[in-house]
Amino acid sequence: MGALAYADDIILLSPSVTSARKMLGIVKQFAAEYDVKFNPCKSQHLVFGQGCPVKTCLSLDGQPIELSSHCTHLGIVVGDDADNRVLTQAVGDFNKRVNCVIAQFGSAHCITKYRLFKAFCMSLYACPLWNLLSKKANDFCTAWRKAVRKLLSLHPWTHNVLLPLICDDISPEGQLHARFASFFKKVLTSPNECVFTCGQLVIQGSRSNVCNNLNLICSKYSVNRCSLNSVGQVLPLVRKIEFTKYEFDDLVKAGYTRNLLCLRD
């Protein structure tokens, strides 16, 4: 699998600089044969792995291709420190959307505002690929809580455990977990052999974020990851997360009751 294409974006994967140059030669030949032009100025090349030469020289149509530490492909940051870059970008975009909703609909009813918040601020593109074990993932959950307090005009000291109850929703962590489980279900049912194989590799164990997230969720919700070889085993995991709406044990320990739901009205 040396090339990944989506619309007019193409990724070339090669184990060495020599093979990369050969692949670029094929690209040049294809362009000449089918009258296609590739823009070297919009192209970048990245080097992965320890012990690889940091300085490499690649060119296309006689023009050098920029060497970068990271780049964005289809909205996903690839390269050095990609995990933190993706989450930093996601938190920033989330805060911008929240401010726009508050500015435009600040006087609307709280239920209407929260529905708008869910629709316009919680798209969270590619969040199943986030590293949910990182501090940046916790930063997003913190941003969610601050946004809800501001959106619904709640006191800044409103307990974190109460926020999902007031919103009649699951916690931000639970929402991320549910989206990951739904994503992984689609991976295991994909008709694409490559995608399905990736799912099986995750179950067997890998060093990817997806594998780490699966370990986290299986541990948190007491699911045996080795039993997830079929979609029939993944569905209960999705439902288990989606129906874990309220952490009543934590509420009891904190001395709260559901009567505080009147705050929502």
Side-chain angles (χ1 to χ4, degrees):
M1 185 176 63
L4 301 173
Y6 183 85
D8 60 346
D9 290 315
I10 300 175
I11 290 181
L12 300 179
L13 303 175
S14 65
S16 66
V17 177
T18 302
S19 60
R21 288 173 178 154
K22 289 182 178 179
M23 295 178 77
L24 289 173
I26 296 174
V27 168
K28 183 178 180 180
Q29 181 180 351
F30 175 89
E33 183 176 352
Y34 292 95
D35 194 22
V36 176
K37 288 187 177 181
F38 294 95
N39 191 346
C41 298
K42 293 184 178 180
S43 302
Q44 296 171 296
H45 79 271
L46 285 71
V47 179
F48 294 91
Q50 297 180 352
C52 295
V54 178
K55 294 183 179 181
T56 58
C57 182
L58 297 176
S59 62
L60 182 62
D61 290 336
Q63 299 185 44
I65 300 176
E66 178 188 359
L67 173 64
S68 302
S69 60
H70 67 279
C71 67
T72 301
H73 177 69
L74 302 180
I76 304 296
V77 179
V78 181
D80 292 346
D81 201 26
D83 291 342
N84 288 332
R85 293 179 189 273
V86 167
L87 282 163
T88 299
Q89 179 179 317
V91 171
D93 181 63
F94 171 79
N95 288 330
K96 290 177 184 177
R97 291 171 180 266
V98 170
N99 290 334
C100 287
V101 170
I102 293 175
Q104 296 294 326
F105 305 99
S107 60
H109 191 274
C110 59
I111 295 179
T112 302
K113 286 192 290 186
Y114 190 73
R115 288 177 178 174
L116 290 168
F117 168 78
K118 288 281 287 186
F120 294 105
C121 305
M122 292 295 290
S123 58
L124 305 184
Y125 176 71
C127 68
L129 302 180
W130 292 357
N131 181 6
L132 300 182
L133 295 171
S134 70
K135 179 183 179 298
K136 289 292 184 178
N138 292 331
D139 290 345
F140 171 80
C141 295
T142 300
W144 182 92
R145 296 183 183 101
K146 289 182 178 179
V148 167
R149 293 187 184 101
K150 186 176 179 181
L151 181 74
L152 303 182
S153 301
L154 300 175
H155 193 281
W157 292 356
T158 305
H159 199 287
N160 292 346
V161 178
L162 285 176
L163 297 179
L165 282 166
I166 295 171
C167 299
D168 193 24
D169 204 348
I170 59 179
S171 67
E173 294 88 352
Q175 293 183 52
L176 293 176
H177 296 168
R179 291 191 184 202
F180 174 83
S182 179
F183 160 78
F184 195 64
K185 180 193 72 173
K186 293 177 181 178
V187 169
L188 292 184
T189 57
S190 173
N192 186 297
E193 184 177 349
C194 179
V195 174
F196 177 79
T197 301
C198 289
Q200 296 300 314
L201 291 174
V202 168
I203 292 176
Q204 295 172 16
S206 66
R207 298 172 61 186
S208 65
N209 285 344
V210 177
C211 183
N212 293 334
N213 292 343
L214 182 63
N215 291 337
L216 167 68
I217 291 175
C218 288
S219 174
K220 181 176 179 62
Y221 299 97
S222 302
V223 175
N224 183 2
R225 58 173 285 171
C226 297
S227 67
L228 297 178
N229 284 307
S230 66
V231 66
Q233 297 295 329
V234 179
L235 287 174
L237 173 60
V238 177
R239 297 192 184 102
K240 194 170 186 178
I241 298 173
E242 289 177 343
F243 285 106
T244 307
K245 294 193 68 174
Y246 307 125
E247 300 173 356
F248 289 111
D249 290 342
D250 291 338
L251 285 172
V252 172
K253 292 176 183 177
Y256 296 106
T257 67
R258 286 198 71 179
N259 292 333
L260 289 172
L261 282 174
C262 63
L263 289 173
R264 192 174 53 189
D265 299 326

